[in-house]
Amino acid sequence: MSEGNVFQLGTVGALSLSVISSVSIVICNKALISTLGFTFATTLTSWHLLVTFCSLHVALWMKLFEHKPFDARAVMGFGILNGISIGLLNLSLGFNSVGFYQMTKLAIIPCTVLLETIFFRKQFSKSIQGALLILLAGVGIATVTDLQLNALGSILSLFAVVTTCIAQIMTNTIQKKFKVSSTQLLYQSCPYQAITLFVIGPFLDGLLTNKNVFAFKYTPQVLFFIVLSCLISVSVNFSTFLVIGKTSPVTYQVLGHLKTCLVLGFGYILLHDPFSWRNIFGILIAIIGMVLYSYYCTVESQQKTNEAITQFAQPKENETDPLISMENGATLGDGIVAKAPVWKSNKDLHA
């Protein structure tokens, strides 16, 4: 099996793992928060990251991956920024309507495209831009209901979008710059993310819910779902870093909207959530956008591969064949000089 096929299989596996684990944890957390009343989302996320770090430490002890230390300041800044972005997203949900929060999540893709275009000179074709617009329109129709604006909520949403975009772009660039795997980056950044959220989590949750996480009554059922959520989160966090490292931040956001559509579908089927024709119509449009995005990404990737193969196959200017050297005026013997052919200036176009 070629290296390209192995990479494609790895990417498909990462995408599949991300979708399955994310949908699973959303259903688990929905039962925990909506049914059992455990509404401390930020604190729960800090526990997720702590369990993820412990799991990776065990994996490192079992020599399932190699520890590769690199720039400590970059890791610390990245970990703290990730933790802050999660806290800001939760604050955005707390101070805005659900519809405006969904608009905030939709804004992450165009913001990521803008940042990558300005700072990394990355080009997005008109086809991909159109596919993303169709996707965002579909998700907007399916999820955005009311748009109640307020100054504080809008400012928090703006900061949440910017920090989330930067953190996801850094996830991709750090892996490539320092040549570390997603597991190595996650292992080193997890403690900083967990500490950040563990410190600000109880305060944010208390501000949003007017409840104390430490005074909550932890029944066996609540503890079971907390442990289950933490175990699933290991797969969620790992697959997040894996997907962004293998693809791009924009592709990860597209995948996130696929998860949203799946969660809506599973919520209707399993939890009997209210569902309307507007939801169905929006999901269908979003799926069309996702299919188009995947198709255009595949086509452009194949074109780049073919161009690279063509450039590699073309002979360099300074590489000459002995027969060509003779034709270009080399002495054949007895003072006879071969006549050189007349080459056109645009020879490469007619090769």
Side-chain angles (χ1 to χ4, degrees):
M1 185 177 293
S2 66
E3 185 178 347
N5 291 335
V6 171
F7 179 80
Q8 289 179 354
L9 286 174
T11 303
V12 171
L15 295 171
S16 303
L17 178 63
S18 181
V19 169
I20 294 171
S21 58
S22 296
V23 172
S24 300
I25 201 169
V26 167
I27 294 173
C28 177
N29 288 348
K30 189 165 186 177
L32 184 61
I33 293 172
S34 302
T35 306
L36 300 176
F38 187 86
T39 54
F40 311 103
T42 309
T43 304
L44 180 63
T45 305
S46 70
W47 296 346
H48 287 170
L49 291 164
L50 182 61
V51 171
T52 299
F53 174 73
C54 293
S55 302
L56 289 176
H57 194 70
V58 172
L60 178 64
W61 177 73
M62 296 174 65
K63 297 182 179 180
L64 296 179
F65 72 97
E66 180 183 353
H67 179 46
K68 184 180 179 181
F70 58 98
D71 193 339
R73 291 176 60 185
V75 174
M76 182 184 298
F78 169 71
I80 294 174
L81 180 65
N82 252 321
I84 291 173
S85 69
I86 294 171
L88 286 171
L89 281 171
N90 288 340
L91 278 175
S92 174
L93 177 59
F95 282 90
N96 291 302
S97 63
V98 175
F100 190 81
Y101 174 72
Q102 290 296 338
M103 286 296 295
T104 298
K105 292 175 67 178
L106 291 177
I108 293 175
I109 283 184
C111 182
T112 303
V113 170
L114 180 64
L115 290 176
E116 289 198 308
T117 302
I118 294 174
F119 294 103
F120 295 92
R121 307 295 182 190
K122 187 172 182 180
Q123 296 182 348
F124 295 87
S125 67
K126 297 293 184 183
S127 300
I128 287 183
Q129 292 178 24
L132 290 175
L133 285 176
I134 294 173
L135 164 67
L136 295 176
V139 176
I141 292 171
T143 61
V144 178
T145 52
D146 57 326
L147 288 175
Q148 300 175 9
L149 303 178
N150 65 83
L152 180 59
S154 300
I155 293 172
L156 288 172
S157 295
L158 176 63
F159 281 114
V161 169
V162 172
T163 53
T164 300
C165 291
I166 295 174
Q168 292 182 357
I169 291 172
M170 286 180 67
T171 304
N172 183 272
T173 54
I174 286 177
Q175 291 186 53
K176 289 182 170 140
K177 179 180 179 180
F178 296 102
K179 293 182 173 56
V180 293
S181 67
S182 55
T183 310
Q184 292 167 333
L185 178 58
L186 180 60
Y187 175 71
Q188 294 185 65
S189 63
C190 242
Y192 299 108
Q193 295 182 59
I195 291 171
T196 302
L197 291 176
F198 193 78
V199 171
I200 67 175
F203 170 74
L204 290 184
D205 290 333
L207 182 66
L208 296 173
T209 64
N210 294 320
K211 296 178 183 178
N212 187 349
V213 64
F214 301 109
F216 186 80
K217 185 178 179 181
Y218 292 89
T219 63
Q221 194 174 12
V222 171
L223 291 174
F224 170 78
F225 275 97
I226 288 175
V227 171
L228 180 62
S229 179
C230 288
L231 293 176
I232 299 174
S233 73
V234 177
S235 177
V236 172
N237 291 323
F238 172 72
S239 61
T240 297
F241 279 59
L242 191 61
V243 168
I244 296 177
K246 283 185 172 293
T247 57
S248 70
V250 173
T251 299
Y252 175 73
Q253 284 299 322
V254 171
L255 188 69
H257 292 307
L258 171 61
K259 299 171 195 173
T260 300
C261 295
L262 290 175
V263 167
L264 287 173
F266 280 117
Y268 173 72
I269 296 171
L270 300 178
L271 304 176
H272 305 291
D273 289 341
F275 212 64
S276 66
W277 285 106
R278 175 178 172 172
N279 298 127
I280 297 173
F281 180 62
I283 288 175
L284 289 176
I285 293 178
I287 290 174
I288 292 172
M290 292 174 203
V291 171
L292 289 175
Y293 176 79
S294 301
Y295 172 74
Y296 289 131
C297 283
T298 303
V299 169
E300 291 184 12
S301 176
Q302 188 63 43
Q303 287 176 348
K304 290 179 181 178
T305 302
N306 292 338
E307 288 174 3
I309 293 173
T310 303
Q311 290 176 358
F312 181 78
Q314 287 178 348
K316 297 181 181 179
E317 293 293 333
N318 59 350
E319 289 181 355
T320 56
D321 187 273
L323 291 177
I324 295 177
S325 298
M326 293 175 64
E327 289 178 344
N328 283 333
T331 302
L332 296 178
D334 297 329
I336 301 174
V337 179
K339 185 179 179 181
V342 179
W343 293 92
K344 296 181 181 180
S345 60
N346 57 345
K347 61 180 180 180
D348 290 333
L349 297 178
H350 295 273

